[in-house]
């Protein structure tokens, strides 16, 4: 895992069902994009094209992923987020390579 120090695990629970996954990448940007895609998928309304409303839980997740997740994981080794409504449960870990 030395060449892929970023790891993420997520669970999103919505009216569309449960979306879970894990991913490993060398860059935080790729981790963040994978989480966004999974979150977007969880908000898809399977009965029509498009997504359900992206209210406060979506905005809080986006804000946290841009503002604190990378720095926190880099400093402490892990960052965890649970949305107040139970929709999102995301953990990001950073394990730097050792020389």
């Amino acid at each position: 895992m030395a060449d892929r120090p970023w790891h993420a695990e997520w669970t999103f629970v919505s009216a569309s069902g449960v979306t879970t996954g894990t991913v490993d990448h060398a860059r935080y940007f790729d981790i963040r994009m994978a989480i966004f895609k999974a979150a977007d998928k969880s908000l898809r309304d399977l009965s029509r094209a498009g997504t359900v409303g992206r209210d406060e839980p979506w905005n809080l997740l986006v804000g946290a992923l841009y503002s604190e997740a990378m720095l926190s994981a880099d400093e402490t080794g892990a960052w965890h987020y649970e949305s107040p409504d139970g929709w999102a449960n995301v953990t990001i870990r950073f394990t730097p390579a050792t020389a």
Side-chain angles (χ1 to χ4, degrees):
M1 188 156 128
D3 61 328
R4 298 191 185 279
W6 290 99
H7 173 80
E9 301 170 0
W10 59 81
T11 301
F12 296 102
V13 180
S14 69
S16 300
V18 178
T19 304
T20 62
T22 63
V23 68
D24 296 296
H25 281 292
R27 301 180 318 157
Y28 175 76
F29 171 83
D30 297 322
I31 290 289
R32 187 176 63 214
M33 290 308 298
I35 294 168
F36 283 155
K37 287 179 183 178
D40 180 65
K41 179 181 176 183
S42 81
L43 293 173
R44 294 267 173 214
D45 183 344
L46 301 178
S47 65
R48 24 176 205 156
T51 60
V52 297
R54 291 185 176 148
D55 296 323
E56 188 174 349
W58 170 266
N59 295 332
L60 290 173
L61 175 63
V62 169
L65 286 171
Y66 274 103
S67 66
E68 67 182 59
M70 184 174 129
L71 293 174
S72 181
D74 185 35
E75 290 176 9
T76 66
W79 173 82
H80 184 111
Y81 175 80
E82 288 185 47
S83 64
D85 66 352
W87 164 67
N89 186 349
V90 179
T91 300
I92 297 176
R93 290 189 186 87
F94 178 69
T95 308
T98 56

